[in-house]
Amino acid sequence: MAKIVPFKAVRPARDKVSLVVSRSYDDYNPAELASQLDYNPFSFLHVLNPAYINLLKASAETRFKSVHNKYAEFKEEHVLKKEADAVFYLYEIHSKNRVYTGIIAGTSIEDYQNNVIKKHEDTLPYRVEYFKDYLHMTGFNTEPVLITYPENKELEQWIGVKKQKRPLYLFTTLNRDKHTLWRVKDKAEILWIQEQFAAMESLYIADGHHRSASAEMLYEEDKISGNGNLNYFMSFLISENDLKIYEYNRIIHDLNGLTKHQFLHALAKDFIVENKAQELWKPDAKFSFGMYLDSEFYALRLKETQFGSVLEALDAQILYEKVLHPLLGITDLRNDSRIEYIPGSKPITQIKQMVDEEEYEVGFMLFPASISEIKELADNNLIMPPKSTYIEPKIRSGLVVYEL
């Protein structure tokens, strides 16, 4: 039931690929960004933010047109080249802890609209609109939506065989991750892969809800143009067994007027509270939470674990319903300036340091959600609280470009 298509991608010249690809633009701090833009003329960051100093105060339209022009310049200078034929790619990221392997393909807007491609996160209208305008004016997208599919032994075997072949690219990035890209251009092989996905009842968005929503909005606005590329958006399709799902931990600026003693007493209503002193304690199971307060770690174990729905039983929702809202007075998880989020890929010593420096009063560590929870939420059209999951892999910008 799921439809995927090959496409004529734009990608870096083979001799420049390690220089072109970059992390997501938002991942760079100002010093890193300046260094890349000053010393690496081939970085895709030049496309994403051309003449960055002069464009900081420019309108969105001016910035997007500049991105479009710089992208065209990279193509004219043969830093980027376009495939002659529509292809799939097999892409592997080998990090120090894990190996992620998946297929880069076009996924169907129709499947997205018909809930064959399922969602578990809400989107912000202004962000969807903004990125839709970006796609419209720049004419390309280089950050695929991360989509997961159920375990498939046939695809797994095919991937194993394909990885024995000579790759199109093999390079290492500065964080020591190894990246390998194979091109899939044989028509019989492409058709077989499409048949494998056509037999799948559902796909699930793991990361990229705003990007997919923007692609749908652009399709609805511009489909009269007859541009067939608008019918699809670029995705990185990976088996659900290969995802790494982290939690998002929470740090809060204050105790909402409560003393430490009052706060601990209030927590005891719903949790068994155990003082772990200086032990760097993280939750080891669902329905348990770590807390760092006043130079000490605590284990919070929920007393009542019977809930009516998967959303009510989600640890992020429990923390909101039992602690953040009633005790700390946080009602808007997305916009309240008193709460910040730290991805679970970061060490908990970072939370300890931020609290110890007294900018924040308390930190909470969560147990990560499971893929079964995410799928059950999506199957029931339920939405996770903001910042519930941090999911890897994260794809490099500029490696594969989907033109619109």
Side-chain angles (χ1 to χ4, degrees):
M1 295 175 64
K3 182 178 182 180
I4 67 169
V5 296
F7 61 97
K8 294 182 180 180
V10 173
R11 54 180 177 81
R14 193 189 295 251
D15 64 323
K16 297 181 177 65
V17 59
S18 63
L19 296 170
V20 171
V21 299
S22 68
R23 305 196 308 269
S24 177
Y25 176 80
D26 293 334
D27 283 351
Y28 291 87
N29 64 43
E32 289 178 311
L33 182 61
S35 175
Q36 283 289 314
L37 293 171
D38 287 343
Y39 298 110
N40 181 2
F42 301 114
S43 173
F44 203 78
L45 293 169
H46 285 286
V47 174
L48 298 176
N49 200 9
Y52 66 105
I53 294 176
N54 297 323
L55 287 174
L56 288 176
K57 297 183 179 180
S59 67
E61 182 176 357
T62 299
R63 291 198 304 273
F64 296 162
K65 286 182 178 178
S66 296
V67 170
H68 172 82
N69 293 337
K70 191 66 178 179
Y71 175 69
E73 183 181 314
F74 265 44
K75 290 176 67 178
E76 289 168 4
E77 295 176 349
H78 305 293
V79 177
L80 300 173
K81 57 185 293 184
K82 188 168 186 176
E83 293 281 6
D85 301 304
V87 300
F88 289 138
Y89 296 101
L90 180 67
Y91 177 39
E92 178 181 271
I93 305 170
H94 193 156
S95 70
K96 61 182 179 180
N97 297 319
R98 294 182 67 96
V99 177
Y100 304 99
T101 310
I103 297 167
I104 299 176
T107 45
S108 167
I109 292 288
E110 183 178 357
D111 283 353
Y112 178 86
Q113 293 176 327
N114 293 336
N115 212 32
V116 174
I117 297 175
K118 297 188 175 184
K119 312 93 179 164
H120 67 268
E121 288 185 7
D122 208 354
T123 55
L124 296 171
Y126 80 90
R127 284 187 59 190
V128 174
E129 180 85 24
Y130 183 86
F131 192 65
K132 181 267 297 180
D133 291 340
Y134 172 90
L135 294 174
H136 177 74
M137 294 183 194
T138 64
F140 72 88
N141 178 37
T142 186
E143 292 192 14
V145 175
L146 183 62
I147 290 183
T148 188
Y149 59 84
E151 181 182 11
N152 182 294
K153 293 296 185 183
E154 288 77 15
L155 272 174
E156 188 176 319
Q157 291 171 0
W158 172 82
I159 287 171
V161 172
K162 190 69 177 180
K163 286 166 64 171
Q164 303 305 311
K165 304 292 180 64
R166 182 173 181 266
L168 180 66
Y169 297 141
L170 173 60
F171 62 96
T172 301
T173 45
L174 293 176
N175 64 351
R176 301 181 184 271
D177 285 355
K178 185 173 75 173
H179 301 258
T180 313
L181 190 77
W182 294 264
R183 180 170 47 193
V184 184
K185 59 181 180 179
D186 179 78
K187 291 184 178 179
E189 203 168 18
I190 288 172
L191 180 60
W192 181 84
I193 294 169
Q194 289 178 305
E195 289 172 348
Q196 296 300 307
F197 281 91
M200 297 179 188
E201 184 176 345
S202 300
L203 304 176
Y204 296 83
I205 296 177
D207 188 33
H209 287 79
H210 284 89
R211 276 167 275 157
S212 50
S214 297
E216 182 201 17
M217 181 179 287
L218 181 63
Y219 165 79
E220 290 295 341
E221 289 189 4
D222 291 357
K223 61 184 177 183
I224 194 172
S225 68
N227 179 0
N229 288 349
L230 296 177
N231 297 338
Y232 303 91
F233 56 89
M234 182 170 64
S235 295
F236 182 52
L237 299 142
I238 184 170
S239 171
E240 62 185 41
N241 295 333
D242 290 340
L243 287 178
K244 176 59 178 176
I245 304 172
Y246 293 96
E247 73 284 3
Y248 258 111
N249 298 313
R250 280 90 162 105
I251 49 176
I252 318 297
H253 280 284
D254 58 74
L255 294 182
N256 195 32
L258 298 173
T259 66
K260 174 185 174 181
H261 176 76
Q262 289 171 331
F263 184 56
L264 290 172
H265 180 74
L267 287 173
K269 174 188 174 184
D270 293 304
F271 300 91
I272 299 170
V273 181
E274 180 183 355
N275 189 324
K276 293 289 186 176
Q278 299 306 306
E279 180 185 348
L280 294 173
W281 194 84
K282 291 182 65 175
D284 51 7
K286 186 171 173 57
F287 301 132
S288 64
F289 302 83
M291 183 175 72
Y292 186 68
L293 173 67
D294 193 24
S295 301
E296 293 182 311
F297 285 91
Y298 293 83
L300 310 178
R301 303 188 193 278
L302 192 66
K303 294 177 179 178
E304 176 56 55
T305 59
Q306 298 299 315
F307 295 92
S309 72
V310 63
L311 178 59
E312 293 173 351
L314 197 68
D315 281 3
Q317 185 70 12
I318 292 168
L319 186 66
Y320 174 75
E321 295 288 352
K322 303 291 187 183
V323 181
L324 300 183
H325 185 199
L327 304 185
L328 298 181
I330 292 173
T331 58
D332 188 344
L333 289 171
R334 199 182 291 277
N335 299 308
D336 195 316
S337 61
R338 296 170 55 227
I339 185 170
E340 299 291 343
Y341 300 90
I342 308 294
S345 57
K346 303 291 185 182
I348 62 172
T349 50
Q350 181 173 334
I351 294 174
K352 179 181 185 300
Q353 179 181 348
M354 296 173 79
V355 174
D356 286 344
E357 291 173 351
E358 299 185 353
E359 182 181 355
Y360 298 88
E361 190 80 12
V362 62
F364 296 97
M365 288 72 75
L366 286 74
F367 190 72
S370 66
I371 186 62
S372 60
E373 287 179 305
I374 292 173
K375 290 173 64 175
E376 188 174 352
L377 283 160
D379 288 340
N380 288 280
N381 297 312
L382 296 172
I383 299 299
M384 278 186 162
K387 299 291 187 182
S388 291
T389 57
Y390 179 86
I391 299 179
E392 290 184 347
K394 302 295 184 186
I395 314 302
R396 292 268 159 168
S397 294
L399 181 64
V400 176
V401 181
Y402 184 87
E403 292 191 326
L404 300 166

